[in-house]
Amino acid sequence: MGATVTTTEEKIWGGGNEPMGSSYGKMMMWFFILSDALTFTGFLAAYGFSRFKFIESWPIADEVFNHFPFMHGVDAPMYYVALMTFILIFSSVTMVLAVDAGHHMKKGKVAFYMFLTIIGGLIFVGSQAWEWKNFIKGEYGAIETRGGSIIQFVDKDGKRIALDKFAASIPGDRAHHESSKGIWFASEGSLPSYSIAEVVEGFKANPDLLIRTETLYHTSHTGDDLHPSLNKEKHKTILTREASLERLSQAAHVVEGASLVRNEYGNKQFANFFFFITGFHGFHVFSGVVINFIIFLNVILGTYEKRRSYEMVEKVGLYWHFVDLVWVFVFTFFYLV
């Protein structure tokens, strides 16, 4: 005697097998976006706590990110970062247009707008690589003291002066520390362009030079000192000539550019967070470009036209919009605040 088994699809949240009207694929994309959003939230929260803790020695973003391609020596604070942000946001617009074209089953327009989205993503990733290059290379150079603080060099008007503008040239070989020379040696990276002795001698030979510390002091627009809670403008502290010479006697390392060990811009944590947060976001953008390119090829081959659905375009669009939104927060908290 045979038995007949019947199955029924249960109604889940009133949406059948598509809760809230969303397909399984889109729901999984939303779950991924939620988990990734929590990850970025943790990173930005850690950045905020560190910045608050070291607020007096935190670098001023306008002085760090002031480069623009083919405009060497021109002070353009945040111009290029703003351009990068505009390009990424515009790529989100083209993605919206690609999704809308997919809803209307217009294969040509989907391909065109996805191509523009991919180009925008590539420009952004390339721009981040260019920004990293300048950040790592540095422009002025600085000295790290035995206490771990960063001191920079300025003229009598407070304008930054690069090491190569005043460092003396002292003949002689410079030792490069390697662990193979003995257990008491700590391995180090490539030697800086100048030794501490060359920087010190050059500084002494230029009486108009002063030292600027990484510590902020605060003034009002009238120049009167104010309580920190009433600050109107923030400036780095510039020492007198005598105090500068005394501080320079504590020099321990010549710093050029930035690394995970030390950086010429100020507090060490600043470079660490820059590499980690912008690098993690850049990895997301690069991954999005690769995924978009794969979907773009499928659009060209007519895969979704045969399925009579461009839902895959919509799903990668959700990811791309998320990446753009995250950059808005990174841009706001890391560069603007």
Side-chain angles (χ1 to χ4, degrees):
M1 182 176 179
T4 302
V5 179
T6 59
T7 59
T8 58
E9 292 184 351
E10 296 182 1
K11 294 289 184 179
I12 304 174
W13 304 335
N17 286 334
E18 295 187 353
M20 296 182 287
S22 295
S23 67
Y24 175 82
K26 281 197 285 187
M27 287 295 294
M28 292 302 102
M29 179 59 75
W30 277 112
F31 284 140
F32 168 76
I33 288 174
L34 178 61
S35 63
D36 217 23
L38 293 175
T39 302
F40 274 105
T41 299
F43 293 159
L44 291 176
Y47 168 80
F49 280 120
S50 295
R51 176 170 178 169
F52 179 78
K53 182 178 180 180
F54 303 107
I55 187 64
E56 294 300 323
S57 62
W58 207 255
I60 300 173
D62 283 353
E63 296 182 355
V64 178
F65 307 106
N66 61 346
H67 302 88
F68 203 91
F70 312 112
M71 295 174 60
H72 181 70
V74 177
D75 186 27
M78 297 299 176
Y79 288 12
Y80 196 57
V81 180
L83 178 61
M84 290 167 51
T85 304
F86 172 79
I87 291 172
L88 194 62
I89 292 176
F90 185 77
S91 73
S92 201
V93 174
T94 57
M95 179 57 82
V96 168
L97 296 175
V99 172
D100 182 68
H103 289 162
H104 294 87
M105 301 300 294
K106 296 179 180 179
K107 173 184 172 182
K109 286 190 174 181
V110 175
F112 174 70
Y113 289 126
M114 288 211 68
F115 176 75
L116 293 182
T117 302
I118 293 169
I119 294 300
L122 288 173
I123 293 175
F124 181 85
V125 172
S127 298
Q128 273 204 321
W130 183 85
E131 188 182 50
W132 269 45
K133 177 196 62 97
N134 286 283
F135 186 79
I136 293 172
K137 180 181 177 182
E139 183 177 2
Y140 296 102
I143 290 289
E144 183 179 293
T145 66
R146 288 190 290 271
S149 62
I150 294 294
I151 55 177
Q152 302 162 341
F153 300 93
V154 297
D155 60 18
K156 59 183 179 181
D157 297 321
K159 184 179 178 181
R160 289 284 302 276
I161 300 296
L163 298 182
D164 59 9
K165 299 297 183 183
F166 68 88
S169 178
I170 302 177
D173 296 330
R174 296 165 58 192
H176 185 255
H177 291 181
E178 297 177 358
S179 58
S180 60
K181 293 181 179 179
I183 59 174
W184 56 87
F185 277 105
S187 296
E188 63 180 357
S190 59
L191 289 173
S193 303
Y194 305 97
S195 66
I196 293 177
E198 290 174 326
V199 174
V200 172
E201 289 303 315
F203 184 83
K204 291 179 178 179
N206 290 269
D208 290 335
L209 293 183
L210 299 172
I211 278 180
R212 188 178 80 163
T213 71
E214 63 180 355
T215 306
L216 292 171
Y217 76 88
H218 309 274
T219 63
S220 67
H221 289 292
T222 59
D224 299 325
D225 291 338
L226 295 177
H227 187 275
S229 62
L230 301 176
N231 294 333
K232 299 297 183 182
E233 296 178 359
K234 297 184 293 184
H235 305 277
K236 296 291 185 179
T237 303
I238 299 178
L239 305 179
T240 62
R241 179 68 180 180
E242 293 74 18
S244 296
L245 290 169
E246 181 181 353
R247 181 64 66 88
L248 194 57
S249 65
Q250 304 172 11
H253 300 281
V254 176
V255 184
E256 294 177 308
S259 68
L260 295 176
V261 179
R262 55 179 62 93
N263 70 86
E264 69 174 57
Y265 310 105
N267 192 281
K268 297 177 182 179
Q269 296 298 328
F270 178 79
N272 295 341
F273 277 110
F274 174 80
F275 289 129
F276 193 77
I277 293 178
T278 63
F280 192 61
H281 178 267
F283 173 76
H284 278 69
V285 177
F286 178 75
S287 300
V289 170
V290 173
I291 296 171
N292 281 338
F293 183 72
I294 294 173
I295 301 302
F296 170 74
L297 289 181
N298 285 331
V299 172
I300 295 296
L301 294 174
T303 302
Y304 308 123
E305 196 73 18
K306 296 174 183 176
R307 295 180 185 175
R308 303 300 299 167
S309 172
Y310 281 87
E311 185 178 306
M312 282 299 298
V313 176
E314 188 172 353
K315 285 187 283 189
V316 298
L318 289 174
Y319 175 78
W320 193 253
H321 297 323
F322 166 72
V323 169
D324 289 1
L325 181 61
V326 167
W327 178 251
V328 171
F329 283 97
V330 173
F331 176 70
T332 300
F333 288 100
F334 204 95
Y335 294 90
L336 295 184
V337 177

